[in-house]
Amino acid sequence: MFRNQYDTDVTTWSPAGRLFQVEYAMEAVKQGAAAVGLRSTSHVVLATVNKAASDLSSHQRKVFKIDDHIGVAIAGLTADGRVLSRYLRNECINHSFVYESPLPVSRLVVRLADKAQVCTQRSWKRPFGVGLLVAGLDETGAHLYYNCPSGNYFEYQAFAIGSRSQAAKTFMERRFEAFNGYSRDELIKDAIFAIKETLQGEKLTSSICTVAVVGIDEPFHMLDQKTIQEVIDSIEIKEDDASAAAADQAPMQEEDKSSEAAAADQAPMQEEDKSSEAAPMDI
Amino acid sequence: MTCVAIAGADYCVIAADTRLSVGYIIYTRDYSKICKLADKCVMASSGFQGDLKALQKNLAAKHLIYQHQHNKQMSCPAMAQLLSNTLYYKRFFPYFTFNILGGLDSDGKGCVFTYDAVGSYERVGYSAHGTGAGLIIPVLDNQLKSPSPLLLPAKDAVTPLLEMEAVDLVKDVFASATERDIYTGDKVEILVINASGIRHELMELRKD
């Protein structure tokens, strides 16, 4: 992307029919630290990489509990994410107050998307610079949504956002068809593994990642460091065994390009379009 | 329709009868007037139950917001102030409820806060509200001696009684109030809050 004369205002269309300010907002999401979400029929898991601004500072909060049955993970401008989390919490509380029942996830994401759309059509506003993975459970089952700064939202079986998220997506593309049958622990393990993929070589420790679960009979909550470290250790033990035992690449290493192409055609499992022909917000 | 609370050194007893009546008609013998607002904070009220339900929902929503913002439960004194503010907010169209808040403060000591309908409140060692209050308060004044404000000012903030003794006293006063007050009876719901959590007891009362 390059600077041009149509990208100054969010209310200016380009001749190609694109709103560049909105696309730039989505770039901000891609710059943020990675966040992944996975869903089975009974549980949804969110995992994030927590970057710290420096060694002296604390890690940024990227996972927020919205209600007992909904949580979000964010990537991008975390301040925007914090503000939106407050809005989502209010919506849930108001709905519970009036209807004495939890707000269905699909309705919450629509309200969030509408709020984001407003910022794409006012000259005195700017789009939110944060992408949200909304994980929730309601009467219709377990759901994972991705909300874009553009005001679009999609439901996913599994998704990853933020920097180096393609590595996590590739990992999940090979396995997502089995996710519905996964147990809670298998889901957590794959989430942590997906996060590991985004680190690409850096050491994964429980201090730099946050994992949260929501499930049937399990309100949304974050896992403690000890539990996360145990899963990380078990992944690493398996990896050491695999590389020691086999001469060729272990199945967990990403090399399978053919399934990637097949997975890309899957509807409704749509992926973010990296090519510049279609504007990202039109997917 | 009566509710009572007694604060001890490390516990709090809060109780309310379960009769809901209007005039000479009993609507139900099985109605709870007690609501758990936070981990260590319970509210019992007499008065208009419709307003009580609305008040309980209001406080629960405010508590949820507090938990999101502060990552912890509200303490009993904090909830006491919140309740006072919530009641005064409707100073000119009040919640028709007479509330008693009971729980443990941040030091683990029992605390009881007593309110009027528009939010005036005070921390006390014991309190009673409702139709049977007039029959109960004099007995508590006599039995709980040291926190009684009749020895001006109250000598202790809480009663030196043991938890078992306080619960027995509550059962006794309810039984006595039931004898003379037509609006009190059926069952009394007793909650005991202490360091290990909240214990729940139900005692039968006269049904006439």
Side-chain angles (χ1 to χ4, degrees), chain A:
Chain A
M1 294 202 203
F2 39 82
R3 286 200 58 78
N4 50 51
Q5 57 188 156
Y6 305 110
D7 67 356
T8 315
D9 292 322
V10 71
T11 48
T12 304
W13 287 99
S14 82
R18 295 159 73 166
L19 290 170
F20 281 110
Q21 279 297 308
V22 180
E23 292 182 29
Y24 294 167
M26 287 159 73
E27 267 310 297
V29 177
K30 293 179 202 167
Q31 302 302 325
V36 312
L38 292 79
R39 176 193 102 203
S40 74
T41 45
S42 60
H43 288 81
V44 195
V45 176
L46 294 172
T48 62
V49 171
N50 291 25
K51 266 205 299 232
S54 78
D55 285 333
L56 297 168
S57 78
S58 62
H59 296 287
Q60 280 203 318
R61 264 189 76 194
K62 285 166 60 77
V63 181
F64 298 90
K65 175 170 176 170
I66 302 300
D67 203 350
D68 280 339
H69 65 300
I70 301 181
V72 301
I74 62 173
L77 265 54
T78 44
D80 284 1
R82 202 179 58 237
V83 161
L84 287 177
S85 299
R86 195 157 52 230
Y87 167 74
L88 295 176
R89 284 168 178 167
N90 260 334
E91 292 295 294
C92 284
I93 289 174
N94 288 337
H95 188 274
S96 292
F97 188 93
V98 174
Y99 298 102
E100 289 276 335
S101 79
L103 178 59
V105 193
S106 51
R107 302 218 194 134
L108 182 65
V109 294
V110 172
R111 293 190 204 183
L112 179 59
D114 287 347
K115 192 169 162 69
Q117 192 280 339
V118 167
C119 297
T120 67
Q121 211 175 8
R122 305 282 184 269
S123 59
W124 62 89
K125 285 183 184 253
R126 64 156 177 83
F128 286 107
V130 63
L132 291 95
L133 285 172
V134 183
L137 225 75
D138 56 30
E139 280 181 337
T140 52
H143 299 280
L144 174 69
Y145 287 91
Y146 171 52
N147 277 71
C148 232
S150 60
N152 274 332
Y153 64 94
F154 306 100
E155 179 152 19
Y156 285 96
Q157 184 76 46
F159 200 47
I161 55 178
S163 66
R164 298 186 287 202
S165 57
Q166 186 55 51
K169 276 189 253 185
T170 314
F171 166 74
M172 294 191 291
E173 270 166 27
R174 272 182 276 114
R175 304 159 75 96
F176 75 91
E177 274 149 332
F179 283 171
N180 265 336
Y182 268 26
S183 73
R184 174 188 180 275
D185 292 330
E186 285 172 324
L187 215 60
I188 293 174
K189 199 166 193 177
D190 266 26
I192 293 181
F193 208 97
I195 281 290
K196 195 167 184 301
E197 294 288 301
T198 67
L199 291 172
Q200 289 186 344
E202 276 174 54
K203 181 115 177 66
L204 173 66
T205 63
S206 59
S207 56
I208 58 160
C209 82
T210 306
V211 182
V213 194
V214 62
I216 293 173
D217 297 332
E218 189 179 355
F220 185 90
H221 66 106
M222 283 169 246
L223 301 182
D224 62 294
Q225 296 236 336
K226 198 165 145 293
T227 317
I228 300 175
Q229 192 59 48
E230 281 167 13
V231 181
I232 294 174
D233 293 337
S234 74
I235 292 174
E236 270 159 20
I237 292 172
K238 265 184 93 175
E239 271 198 332
D240 291 337
D241 286 344
S243 55
D248 42 52
Q249 302 264 341
M252 289 186 221
Q253 305 300 317
E254 48 157 314
E255 283 303 336
D256 208 343
K257 297 272 186 251
S258 56
S259 62
E260 203 182 317
D265 298 310
Q266 290 266 356
M269 301 308 146
Q270 306 181 30
E271 292 291 350
E272 205 182 304
D273 195 25
K274 290 284 186 175
S275 67
S276 51
E277 297 90 41
M281 69 197 86
D282 287 339
I283 302 159

